[in-house]
Structure formats: structure tokens, C-alpha cells
Amino acid sequence: MFYINTGEDPTLERHFKGHRDTITSVDLNPNMKQIATGSMDSCLMVWNMKAQMRAYRFVGHKDAVMSVQFSPSGHLVASASRDKTVRLWVPSVKGESTVFKAHTGTVRSVNFSSDGQSLVTASDDKTVKVWAVHRQRFLFSLNQHINWVRCAKFSPDGRLIVSAGDDKTIKIWDKTSRDCIHSFYEHGGYVSYVDFHPSGTCIAAASSDNTVKVWDIRMNKLLQHYQVHTAVVNGLSFHPSGNYLITASNDSTLKILDLLEGRLLYTLHGHQGPATCVAFSRAGDYFASGGSDEQVMVWKTNFDAADYEEVLRSQQRATSVNGAVQSGERQSRSSLRASSRSRGAESSEGVDFSDIPLSHVEKRSVSQTRPSQVPKDTSVSSPTSRQQQPQDNGVPAALASTLEHIVCQLDVLTQTVAILEQRLTLTEDKLRECIDNQQMITLQLRTSK
């Protein structure tokens, strides 16, 4: 199981104040030299991480800036506004921008594809729109939402789009066919924010029902359900490793969730009023948050760097299980899925999420819930090499080899069950489609008579 040990608590590194109203969105430049923020004061600001360098205030939108994001290269910033437009800015002294117009309502969300070639936007006009960045033109709309759309994001590979809004639904779209391939309806309030897991296999959503939910989009199954906030959850961000999720809420807190353990890890206090947005840096070593107190806060994650590098190496390393080659990323997905099954109840109402105050940070007792030792190398050796391994911690090599074999068999069974579930879902969908077609034919026959 992939894991990142935490060396220290997250610490507040810097804070900026320059906006004149609530901060609505925050993003960190891939090179960590700049931070972009949008605000209800109609301005986009770009802050320099070097202490002596001044911030840039970009004026152009005629109403509140609802969302901002750096392009993958960091050379552009996109902004979405209540003035119904999207703008592309060059984050320099000149502050030049290009205007995109097609929406007929407030544009609440803007997101670049991973290759930087496309933008997806979400609007109060109930549509999701896709744009070509370099040709600077509108491409097409996705139209099945029946209320305001608050958020839309590309999948890491750019083939899917996820959207969510005030109709309490989350929709997965195929970008090529432009079809809605699945809808999730589990939230009891509007969905304020949604995003893809770095693996592209899961999504997480934040809602006005005070919950955060995580789904597997291959199986269309709810994996985890967190009720850790006491007010509307406004935003969230996945750590690049995929092992952690950070959330921002109207209860003034940021919370870091351990997705592999299925539990609350940290509660951070800093904002005086609702925390409206949060985002990890591309490397995961920092995150930034904004709030109604008009402050931008930059936090150092303090995840152990050596362990994090090992996780990244492990995710790229192929492992051999019963002759089948699986990537580290696939094993990470299996870990997340297995964790949700075994510990899913821990993130529901039955868990005591009471924390121990530690100045800005509240941290649960790690010794009670975290395994004392976490393997840093997830590669699986061949049966021959296992037999040659010496005894470790008093465990005979033969017994260790047998246990590893059992674990491998369980992993194969888990994957087999997952495939069967997927086939069952496809069969159910086909059956439902046949029933719908039959009903339609029956209705047409009755009408013709």
C-alpha cells in the first residue's frame, strides 16, 4: 500500500492580503513562483512568492472573478467571471488578456486540459462549454444539467469531463462523443466542487450537505463518504500522490483526509470566517487557501520528502503478480479501493473525529490508527527470490513466502470481483436500455392505434 509518512504538522508559511472582498479561487503556478487568486472584488491578482516582489492586480472583468487557474506551463492564467466571460491573461506587468464570450450566465469555473490546449467552463446558464486555447474560440456545449453548473474539470488524460452543480448531480462526459456516460445523484445539496483523482479512476465532490464523497468512475460506485465539516464544503484538492485530499469549508477550517486510511488526518485553523477555496501545488509540497477574510494563506505540507519520492518511484515501477505485470499506479488504485471497503465506515457518522488542539493544527493521535511500520517498497519479488530471503523479525522465510502468495491471490480475487461487478453493471445498463426501448415501441403502437 502506498503511503506518505508525515514528518511534521502542516505549517503556515506566508499570507497575503490585497483583495477587497471574499477570495473565490486560488491556484499555484507549476514552478511555485506565483499564486493566482480571484475575488468578488472583480480583480485577478498574481502574487510573487519572493518576499521583495510586488503583486500584480489585473483589472478587466466587470464583475466578481469566480475561478482562476494557471495553464500547465504556467505562462497563462485563465479566469471566469460573473460578467459571463472567460479571460486568458499573461501573468506579467502588462497584464494583457483575451476575452472568451459564449456563456449567457455567470461563469463559475474554468479548467485547463493537461496538455494546455483546451479549456472547460461551467456556468449558471446550465451548460458546460469547451474552448480551444490557441485558436481562442468556442468548440461545443454539454447541456444536460437542469440548474446552475458550479464546476467542471478535465480528467488527467483529457478524455473525460466531470461537472456538477445546483441540480445535485455529478455528470461524467466523454469529450469525443460529447455524451453523458454516467450521473451520480447521492448528494443531498448542491455540489459546489468536483475533481478527478490524479489516477483518473476516481472523482471527489464537495457539497452544501456538508459532506465530501469519493466515487470510482470505472465501477460507478461510492467508495468513501466523509462528514467531517459542520458547514458547506466549498472546495477540495487532491495531493499529487493521490493519497490525500484537502477540503475548505464555511466552518472556517481546512481538513486533510487520508484516503488510504479513510480518515481525517488534520484540521487547520487560520481563516477568520468561511474558507472558500484551497489548492495543492503541482509538486504537493505546498498548498494555498483563500477565505471571506480576504486573506490568501500559503501552507507547507511537511510530508516527508524521502517517502514521497519513494512513492513516486514505486508508482512508476512495474510489479509482477502471478505472472501478470501491473503498474504501480494500478496497485495504488487497488489500495484505495481495498481501503475504502475495509475502512469505509471510519469516514461515516459513526467515527469520532474529535481532535487534539495544536495551535493552528489539530491532529488525531497517529499511534492509535496508523500502522507502526509502512513498507516503502511495494514491488513484489519472484517466488525464487522469496525463498532465498533470510528470516526477518523472527518470521520464517517459508511462512513469509506463503503469506505473500496469499496476499497475491487475494489481490487477484479482488480484481476478478471488480471485473465481474463491471460486467454486471454493463449487463444491467443493457437490460435497462432494452426495457426502455420496449416501452417506447409499446407506446408508439398504442399511439398509432
Side-chain angles (χ1 to χ4, degrees):
M1 180 174 70
F2 295 126
Y3 200 91
I4 302 176
N5 289 328
T6 50
E8 305 173 21
D9 300 331
T11 52
L12 181 60
E13 291 284 295
R14 296 189 63 186
H15 64 90
F16 305 95
K17 192 161 185 178
H19 282 293
R20 301 184 182 93
D21 206 336
T22 298
I23 293 167
T24 56
S25 181
V26 63
D27 193 37
L28 297 92
N29 191 298
N31 59 24
M32 267 307 296
K33 292 180 179 178
Q34 296 176 316
I35 296 173
T37 55
S39 169
M40 298 297 287
D41 65 7
S42 305
C43 294
L44 164 73
M45 293 193 71
V46 175
W47 313 81
N48 289 290
M49 287 297 288
K50 290 185 179 179
Q52 269 58 32
M53 296 186 69
R54 67 187 184 90
Y56 302 134
R57 182 190 300 273
F58 298 138
V59 179
H61 284 296
K62 296 178 174 59
D63 208 333
V65 178
M66 308 302 292
S67 177
V68 298
Q69 192 190 30
F70 279 104
S71 64
S73 66
H75 297 147
L76 296 171
V77 179
S79 60
S81 172
R82 204 157 60 184
D83 66 8
K84 307 175 186 178
T85 69
V86 176
R87 284 179 179 262
L88 275 182
W89 308 79
V90 178
S92 62
V93 177
K94 293 183 179 179
E96 300 170 340
S97 67
T98 303
V99 183
F100 290 54
K101 295 181 179 180
H103 283 293
T104 58
T106 296
V107 189
R108 293 188 176 269
S109 169
V110 63
N111 177 246
F112 279 97
S113 58
S114 57
D115 61 5
Q117 300 298 309
S118 303
L119 280 174
V120 62
T121 55
S123 171
D124 285 3
D125 63 12
K126 307 176 188 177
T127 70
V128 174
K129 295 187 186 296
V130 178
W131 315 71
V133 173
H134 297 297
R135 286 182 290 168
Q136 299 180 4
R137 70 185 188 89
F138 164 69
L139 295 178
F140 60 87
S141 287
L142 305 172
N143 299 302
Q144 290 190 25
H145 281 285
I146 59 173
N147 208 329
W148 294 355
V149 190
R150 290 183 177 263
C151 188
K153 300 276 187 178
F154 282 111
S155 62
D157 62 10
R159 293 186 297 176
L160 300 176
I161 294 170
V162 63
S163 61
D166 281 25
D167 58 7
K168 304 180 184 179
T169 70
I170 299 163
K171 296 185 183 295
I172 308 291
W173 308 83
D174 184 296
K175 183 191 172 190
T176 304
S177 68
R178 307 179 191 179
D179 293 329
C180 177
I181 57 180
H182 192 75
S183 296
F184 297 99
Y185 300 93
E186 281 85 350
H187 277 294
Y190 67 78
V191 184
S192 51
Y193 202 92
V194 66
D195 202 0
F196 279 95
H197 186 272
S199 69
T201 63
C202 301
I203 58 168
S207 173
S208 64
D209 62 10
N210 306 352
T211 69
V212 174
K213 296 180 190 289
V214 181
W215 287 271
D216 184 328
I217 62 170
R218 299 164 298 176
M219 308 298 301
N220 298 328
K221 302 291 184 184
L222 180 65
L223 293 181
Q224 294 176 334
H225 171 98
Y226 295 93
Q227 288 188 302
V228 294
H229 286 289
T230 58
V232 173
V233 189
N234 295 308
L236 53 81
S237 179
F238 280 104
H239 188 269
S241 69
N243 294 348
Y244 296 96
L245 185 70
I246 189 167
T247 58
S249 169
N250 277 358
D251 63 12
S252 306
T253 68
L254 307 175
K255 291 183 185 283
I256 298 179
L257 306 172
D258 184 334
L259 298 178
L260 297 184
E261 294 289 326
R263 65 186 178 95
L264 175 66
L265 196 60
Y266 295 104
T267 295
L268 290 84
H269 299 273
H271 289 286
Q272 305 300 311
T276 53
C277 52
V278 66
F280 273 113
S281 65
R282 303 300 197 274
D285 48 351
Y286 288 89
F287 59 92
S289 61
S292 63
D293 56 4
E294 303 169 13
Q295 290 196 86
V296 182
M297 296 187 174
V298 181
W299 308 75
K300 188 170 177 58
T301 310
N302 289 328
F303 291 157
D304 187 275
D307 287 344
Y308 181 46
E309 289 173 2
E310 181 61 33
V311 166
L312 293 181
R313 283 196 296 270
S314 297
Q315 288 179 335
Q316 295 169 357
R317 186 188 302 133
T319 61
S320 175
V321 179
N322 284 355
V325 178
Q326 298 176 325
S327 67
E329 180 184 1
R330 176 69 177 274
Q331 188 169 349
S332 178
R333 296 171 192 167
S334 299
S335 298
L336 177 57
R337 189 167 61 246
S339 170
S340 69
R341 288 171 180 165
S342 61
R343 301 185 179 90
E346 290 187 17
S347 56
S348 63
E349 294 184 15
V351 179
D352 179 12
F353 286 111
S354 57
D355 302 332
I356 303 171
L358 291 174
S359 64
H360 281 296
V361 182
E362 297 179 359
K363 180 178 178 182
R364 288 191 62 184
S365 174
V366 176
S367 61
Q368 295 177 3
T369 52
R370 184 178 299 163
S372 58
Q373 293 182 339
V374 179
K376 294 186 179 181
D377 190 349
T378 58
S379 61
V380 180
S381 58
S382 66
T384 304
S385 63
R386 288 185 198 132
Q387 292 172 4
Q388 296 172 352
Q389 291 176 355
Q391 292 186 4
D392 184 23
N393 296 330
V395 180
L399 177 57
S401 176
T402 302
L403 289 173
E404 284 189 35
H405 179 71
I406 292 171
V407 169
C408 291
Q409 292 296 321
L410 288 173
D411 189 52
V412 172
L413 285 172
T414 300
Q415 294 170 38
T416 303
V417 170
I419 292 170
L420 290 173
E421 287 179 351
Q422 188 173 20
R423 288 179 178 175
L424 180 60
T425 301
L426 291 172
T427 303
E428 290 174 347
D429 291 342
K430 286 291 184 183
L431 181 59
R432 190 179 298 112
E433 184 179 343
C434 290
I435 293 172
D436 290 343
N437 289 337
Q438 184 64 40
Q439 289 176 344
M440 188 179 298
I441 292 170
T442 304
L443 183 61
Q444 288 174 349
L445 290 173
R446 289 176 180 173
T447 305
S448 61
K449 290 179 179 180

